[in-house]
Amino acid sequence: MRIVADLHIHSYLSRACSPQLRPARLYEWCQLKGITALSTGDFTHPAWFAELRGTLVEAEAGLFTLKPEIAKPVDDAVFPSCRAPVRFVLGVEISCIYKKGPRVRKVHHLVFMPSFEAAGRFNADLAKIGNIRSDGRPILGLDSRNLLELVLKADPQAVLIPAHAWTPHFAVFGSESGFDSLEECFEDLTPHIFAIETGLSSDPAMNWRLSKLDGITLISNSDAHSPEKLAREANLFDTELSYAGIFDAIKSRDGRFLKTLEFFPEEGKYHVDGHRKCRTRLDPKETLRRNGLCPVCGKPVTIGVLHRVERLADRPEANQPAGAADYENLIPLKEVLGEVLRVGPASVRVDALYRRLLESFGNELFVLRELPLARLEKEHPLVALAVDRMRRGKVRIDPGYDGEYGTISLLSEEDLTSKRQLALFDA
Amino acid sequence: MPDHLNPAQQTAVEAVDGPVIIVAGPGTGKTRTFAHRVAYLIQDQHVPPERILAVTFTRSAAAEMKARLTGLLGKVPDGLWVETYHAAALRMLREQGYPFGPGVDFSLIADEDKPRLLDGLVPRKEAAEFLDDLRQKKQRLEWPEAGPASEYQKRLAARRQLDFDDLFLYAMRLFEERPEAAATYRDRFTHIVIDEFQDTSFAQYRFARSLASHHLCVIGDPDQAIYGFAGSFRAFEAFKTDFPNHRVCRLSENYRSQGVIVQAASQVIARSSAQLPRQLTARLANGLPLAIARYGTDRQEAEMIARKIETLLGGSSHFAIDSGWAQADDERRAYGLGDMAVLYRLHAQARAIADAIERAGLPYRCYGKPAPAEDLESVIADDTGPRGEAINLMTLHRAKGLEFPVVFIAGCEEGLLPYERSDDPEEERRLFFVGMTRAKQRLFLSSAAKRFLFGKTRHAEPSPYLSDIQNELRQMEEVQAPRKPPERGTQQSLF
């Protein structure tokens, strides 16, 4: 069956995360967003682990759903147009901070377990090594290779996938504290790495410029710190609804993994180079011309993902390898609506229109990707125009840098004024 | 540190005849000189390895010495003894079948088993004090003659057990009862080299002295003697008296720490009386100034240490970096977790610091009290499985012999440094000196105006040691408690 999976999120127990990130809210938002399978996030945290055990039941092998008595009132409140089954997979992001050679490495990894028993074994091992009580995304002073060893020991079906592989500060290929190859990071256990997460600031095409990633599957997830951010990136499968169905599809590259749904990478926080504090955004070529130094403060700039890919790439152009899934770029619906209504995406007016569209047509991903434009046009012509542009990739972007999101626009001033009257009726 | 030995180290390595004192200040390449000296004896002087006894202070120091010898000689030569005092005594007792007779083995009693052995002898509440007292007596080589101590001794013997301090009592008794046994070792070990000599106890000293016949070399730094409470005595003074024809070699070039750290530490120790002429010069550049900070409370101090650690890690989360929580540091480099140590005078200070680091979600390892003879830890099985890197939390005492790129010393306050219950203020100063000189690149000294300790809130001025450090070496940071917003009532009354 068709499955949309978002495999990287956090719970309310992770640092700087929304208190809304609890099982029932996640279950609700999955339906609004159009997610079939969601990572629980944070399963190493004892309180979250206990909460998950208390609220979830196994539905298919390795996949869990909310207990019926908890699900019922949530289902009743979800728009009928959006109702759909939701599954959880036990996942966590782990931050490894350690020295390898003379350098400090800071690398984040996604870990998945096929059962509560396996997750429990893994948690017990980690608790002996470090502190997993303080943060849903635990920080361990553990070498990535040794973490992978513990993952593999916990269960034969357990999986480790390097997270947002290109971000400068916390990634396997990061410019600040990462590596130049998976082998450097995982040594003898590298063959167990069959996928990486591309992160918001890179898309598959950028990764296809590295021949050494040809056999590695690229997955995309939201890394949501609040429920509204779910599925801003996600994975689309046509596979059996089970833990093995999802991860075998990622591993085997046999066509069951259809595509990833991506941010426009320029919108990501670390796409190009620069200094946020100095408000300096630099194209990689410009950075090189300036010897990596900020024209404002004279210190080295934060090297973004585009630059880093360029540094490690061995192909001048992207070349989609055999078996690689496709991708398409998306913009979160609320951002689209915010631009149409000329207000912030978190505003009350945007929320009202958002809910109206979902109630009329179905979940957010359906509206963004599949809803026939003619139907949307009847409801809101300007939104239809913006969504059409998004689907065709007709966007204007000021790229993100050094932790600052890029800004994206779909509509011109002309679009907004000529259709303004129509828009006003609907807003 | 350069590849070759510096002239002072070279002289110390080659001064092999007769009794020699090598005074080695912190970071001057003491361990290296020690290892080179042993290698020199074997390679250049052709001393058979079995004629050499190398004594280290801890088991980990012995392991490091063996690693260095392997580096210099290709392997640890057969027959060479690299042992702690305790392990050397233990090995001799076992070889001689003493005290329970040939073939009758014995074990060492674990600390936690001792109180049980005192059942019916000493009220449980007094057990710790009793054992401490007994320990000190044994370190002065006083046999328990009567009363509960002697009964305890009998019970130990009935279990075929010794406690750590018994090792020297029995070794000395062995040498008395069987002079030929002592002669065996005296003849065998023509060359004895002893590390960390300043912390040698009376019992250990007598043990070593009874083995020394020809060439005895002691290495250490009287300014780093910090184990007075554990029964050490002025070992260098005793050595000078007992071996009047000794030579003194001095290592004074510090390769470990940035210049400001060496200078500040020297200014602190300069106020204490010197047992041997002292000198310490930095070989590294000055580096960044020392950070001396004063906080309102111990909680605030702990919070700011955790925050600084996060900064020095280069930010440990996107949140910390993007929000500016981890402020930019003056130095653009990232330190690892294990590069950092937070040191304090008392174990009781650890809790607040550990809590703050825990809240930051960072891994730490809090080292407990060193076992009375940490050097005999072989009885404790080593942890298996991977161990993560972690921020090190330990007492100043525990930090002896270690070094870290980044050192925080928390609680630099009157009452703690010097500790008000210590009866040796000179030793407290040395302890602070030892703590400061653990730092390679960065040293952070902090104090709190109010501290909750042993169930009481106490107010304290900064440690007097801080005022011995010249202003130009340091950067001051005054942190006040966040001001409370004015209360609504008072504001309204203004109108």
Side-chain angles (χ1 to χ4, degrees), chain A residues 26 187 248 250 267 279 322 324 363 416:
Chain A
L26 290 169
E187 299 171 32
D248 287 352
I250 295 175
E267 206 185 348
R279 300 189 163 275
N363 67 60
L416 288 162

Side-chain angles (χ1 to χ4, degrees), chain B residues 129-252:
Chain B
E129 199 182 331
F130 171 83
L131 287 168
D132 204 45
D133 194 50
L134 181 61
R135 190 174 147 63
Q136 292 198 19
K137 285 204 173 80
K138 287 181 175 178
Q139 289 184 344
R140 294 192 297 267
L141 289 179
E142 292 168 23
W143 276 94
E145 297 291 355
S150 136
E151 184 56 32
Y152 167 75
Q153 218 55 30
K154 275 188 202 141
R155 289 182 184 183
L156 269 178
R159 291 160 56 114
R160 295 278 182 268
Q161 283 194 311
L162 267 55
D163 75 18
F164 294 120
D165 305 298
D166 285 341
L167 290 168
F168 305 112
L169 289 182
Y170 281 108
M172 294 309 287
R173 180 177 277 182
L174 163 70
F175 294 159
E176 237 166 73
E177 287 177 5
R178 300 192 214 148
E180 72 284 3
T184 307
Y185 293 112
R186 261 200 309 275
D187 293 345
R188 172 178 173 162
F189 295 120
T190 53
H191 290 78
I192 300 177
V193 192
I194 302 174
D195 196 10
E196 303 274 14
F197 190 65
Q198 73 279 0
D199 286 320
T200 297
S201 71
F202 177 73
Q204 289 166 337
Y205 177 72
R206 292 296 292 271
F207 169 69
R209 201 183 65 177
S210 60
L211 296 173
S213 59
H214 304 281
H215 311 296
L216 176 59
C217 172
V218 297
I219 306 180
D221 181 6
D223 288 339
Q224 295 182 69
I226 56 171
Y227 276 99
F229 69 82
S232 71
F233 71 121
R234 296 198 149 202
F236 279 107
E237 299 294 330
F239 187 94
K240 286 195 286 185
T241 312
D242 289 349
F243 301 93
N245 59 335
H246 66 272
R247 292 165 63 187
V248 177
C249 300
R250 179 174 318 285
L251 309 181
S252 58

Side-chain angles (χ1 to χ4, degrees), chain B residues 327-343:
Chain B
Q327 299 147 316
D329 187 60
D330 297 337
E331 221 180 350
R332 198 183 155 93
R333 59 161 285 185
Y335 290 96
L337 294 161
D339 288 341
M340 295 189 269
V342 186
L343 312 181

